[in-house]
Amino acid sequence: MFIWNVLPFVNDYVASLDKALTEYKDGCELSSLQKRWLSICIMGIIVTNTICWKKNEGATIGKYRVAALSWMFRRARIVWELLVVMSVKVIVEEYGIKDGCLCIDDSDRKRTKNSKKIGYIHKIKDKGSGGYIMGQNIVF
């Protein structure tokens, strides 16, 4: 499947997220470019079922290059910590959730011993063997 246009519910979600950021703290709103980028990233996750810049580029048939997608992620002046909190707030309000338990999944991604070209690789404890591996920690 290819990304031609952003689905309406993704646009609604990003607009709600921007509104929540603006209401929480002045100056934290998303620019129109940041909203478009975030929408494309969310669509990429939905379409490819992964969090991968290269697959997002493929899903957009090269319209959005890996360098542009990852540059925005690294360089954008987005308050990421606040974005996560407001995202949870938007979802909880949208679905009218009154109580529950929010769980965090701390998954480890094992990598090869020679992984110098992958960003944010560090030595982590391997839960299975008790030893150490080079890898990334992804928290959902």
Side-chain angles (χ1 to χ4, degrees):
M1 178 178 256
F2 301 111
I3 301 171
W4 297 109
N5 293 315
V6 177
L7 295 172
F9 74 89
V10 173
N11 281 332
D12 294 344
Y13 169 74
V14 172
S16 297
L17 185 57
D18 183 47
K19 182 180 176 200
L21 285 166
T22 304
E23 289 173 357
Y24 183 78
K25 187 175 180 184
D26 286 336
C28 287
E29 65 274 353
L30 299 170
S31 69
S32 59
L33 182 63
Q34 289 169 339
K35 287 186 234 180
R36 178 74 179 151
W37 171 81
L38 191 56
S39 298
I40 292 296
C41 289
I42 292 169
M43 285 296 299
I45 292 168
I46 292 168
V47 169
T48 65
N49 199 29
T50 63
I51 302 172
C52 176
W53 299 123
K54 192 67 176 169
K55 289 185 180 178
N56 280 6
E57 179 183 17
T60 63
I61 312 176
K63 184 176 180 182
Y64 298 96
R65 300 274 181 209
V66 170
L69 290 169
S70 63
W71 184 89
M72 187 67 150
F73 180 73
R74 288 178 280 129
R75 303 289 185 203
R77 294 178 188 231
I78 297 174
V79 184
W80 294 105
E81 299 83 13
L82 192 55
L83 188 73
V84 171
V85 172
M86 292 299 113
S87 181
V88 171
K89 180 180 181 283
V90 165
I91 292 170
V92 166
E93 287 177 357
E94 176 68 27
Y95 290 100
I97 299 170
K98 301 293 182 204
D99 61 354
C101 179
L102 182 62
C103 299
I104 297 174
D105 176 16
D106 182 13
S107 301
D108 293 336
R109 296 286 312 260
K110 293 180 184 179
R111 301 291 183 187
T112 63
K113 291 181 182 179
N114 188 7
S115 54
K116 295 176 182 165
K117 292 185 179 180
I118 301 173
Y120 305 105
I121 295 291
H122 59 278
K123 192 174 188 178
I124 58 175
K125 181 95 169 157
D126 184 19
K127 295 171 187 168
S129 69
Y132 290 92
I133 59 171
M134 295 303 285
Q136 297 169 311
N137 289 84
I138 300 173
V139 179
F140 293 101

